[in-house]
Amino acid sequence: MAQRSSLAGPYQAPVLAVCFLACVATGLELSVNNHTADFSLSTMPGSLVSLSCLVQNSSQAEELLWYRGDGKVDLKDGNKVNVSNVCISPVTESDNGVTFTCKLARDNSVQVSVILDVEFLPQLSGEESLQIEEDKDVTLTCNTKSNPQAPTAWYKNNTTLTLQQNRYQVYQTSEVFQLSITKVQKSDNGTYTCMVKFPSEERRKDFHLIVEDKSPIFPTEAVIAAVVVVTLTVLFGIVARRDKIFKVW
C-alpha cells in the first residue's frame, strides 16, 4: 500500500495544475464599454463613437485584437495590451449594422461584439418636373433609405393616390420607393408626392408630371418616296432647261 501511495504522488501535481489553469481561463473575460456580452449601440451620422475593450480577471499581459466585420483593425503598439480603444469618426449611414468585435489574441473564442445602430432620415426633399408624351411610360423614384424604416405613401394633388389596375404599379425596397405609370394619359397630369412619415416629422418629395400631346408620326417609307420624287423632278427640270439653253446658242 505504501508503494502504491508513493507512485501516485508525482501524478497528482499536473492534474492540480490543469485544474488551476482551467479556473483561471474560465474567469478571464473581456468587456467593451462595460459590457461583458454582445450589445447594440445607438448613434447618429456625424457623431463620434469610442469603443474601449478591457481584459478582466487576468494576472498577465494579454494582447487584444479588433475586427470591423471580418476585417482586422490595424492597432498601434501601445493600444494592444490589456486595454484597447477604437474610434469611429465621423459615423456615417454606411456604418449602420456594422459589427465591431474585440478578441483575445491567444483565444479568439473570448470576445465581445458591438453592433452599431445608426439612426438617420431619408434624403428626401425638393421637387422635380417631368414632361412625358401621352401613351408613354414613366417611373417616379424616391430615395427612402432610413433607419428605422417608416411608413411610405404616394399622393396625387395632396390626396391619397388610388392605384388604377394595370396602369399604376408600386415597387418598394429598403432603399427606394417607386411609382410606375403605364401609357400615361392627360388625366395623369398633376403633382405626385412621395411621403415618408416618422413620429417626429414627415419627409416628402414632389413630382410635377406634365403629359404632352403625342408627336405626329410620319411613315418612313412615304417620306423617302416623296424625297426621291422631288429630287428626280428637280434633276429632270435642270436637264431640260440645259437643253433649251444649248439650242439658243
Side-chain angles (χ1 to χ4, degrees):
M1 295 296 293
Q3 289 181 348
R4 186 177 299 175
S5 176
S6 62
L7 289 173
Y11 292 94
Q12 291 176 352
V15 174
L16 291 174
V18 170
C19 291
F20 176 76
L21 290 175
C23 292
V24 172
T26 302
L28 187 150
E29 62 181 1
L30 303 181
S31 67
V32 173
N33 291 13
N34 297 322
H35 292 267
T36 57
D38 298 347
F39 67 102
S40 177
L41 180 62
S42 296
T43 184
M44 299 182 67
S47 61
L48 181 149
V49 169
S50 179
L51 303 176
S52 180
C53 184
L54 174 66
V55 178
Q56 297 182 343
N57 303 326
S58 177
S59 58
Q60 65 183 43
E62 298 285 358
E63 183 181 356
L64 297 172
L65 305 174
W66 272 104
Y67 287 83
R68 185 185 192 276
D70 295 328
K72 189 176 180 181
V73 177
D74 186 20
L75 300 174
K76 294 183 179 180
D77 291 338
N79 189 29
K80 296 181 179 180
V81 179
N82 289 345
V83 179
S84 182
N85 300 290
V86 295
C87 290
I88 303 96
S89 178
V91 173
T92 65
E93 294 179 8
S94 61
D95 292 319
N96 182 50
V98 173
T99 300
F100 285 84
T101 304
C102 180
K103 297 183 179 182
L104 194 67
R106 66 180 176 88
D107 184 0
N108 284 182
S109 66
V110 181
Q111 62 179 39
V112 177
S113 295
V114 51
I115 301 176
L116 295 187
D117 180 23
V118 184
E119 299 178 357
F120 59 92
L121 299 178
Q123 301 298 319
L124 193 64
S125 62
E127 55 187 50
E128 184 177 336
S129 294
L130 298 172
Q131 295 179 337
I132 187 76
E133 286 186 8
E134 197 173 6
D135 282 343
K136 289 191 175 181
D137 301 339
V138 66
T139 298
L140 313 180
T141 302
C142 284
N143 172 22
T144 54
K145 183 179 179 181
S146 65
N147 182 46
Q149 293 188 10
T152 53
W154 280 102
Y155 292 81
K156 180 182 179 182
N157 299 329
N158 296 321
T159 302
T160 302
L161 179 64
T162 301
L163 300 181
Q164 298 182 23
Q165 190 175 8
N166 299 327
R167 291 196 60 242
Y168 288 4
Q169 290 185 341
V170 172
Y171 173 76
Q172 185 171 17
T173 68
S174 60
E175 297 189 2
V176 298
F177 188 40
Q178 292 181 333
L179 171 66
S180 296
I181 306 175
T182 303
K183 293 185 177 181
V184 295
Q185 303 171 0
K186 288 289 187 178
S187 59
D188 294 321
N189 271 313
T191 298
Y192 293 80
T193 302
C194 171
M195 184 81 73
V196 183
K197 297 183 178 181
F198 294 89
S200 58
E201 63 176 291
E202 294 180 348
R203 290 290 177 95
R204 59 183 290 164
K205 182 174 182 179
D206 293 330
F207 296 85
H208 304 294
L209 183 63
I210 302 171
V211 181
E212 300 177 333
D213 294 331
K214 289 192 296 184
S215 300
I217 301 176
F218 297 98
T220 305
E221 295 81 359
V223 172
I224 295 175
V227 171
V228 171
V229 170
V230 171
T231 303
L232 291 176
T233 301
V234 172
L235 289 175
F236 287 144
I238 294 174
V239 171
R241 187 175 181 81
R242 187 182 63 179
D243 292 342
K244 290 181 178 180
I245 293 174
F246 286 151
K247 287 179 180 179
V248 172
W249 284 95

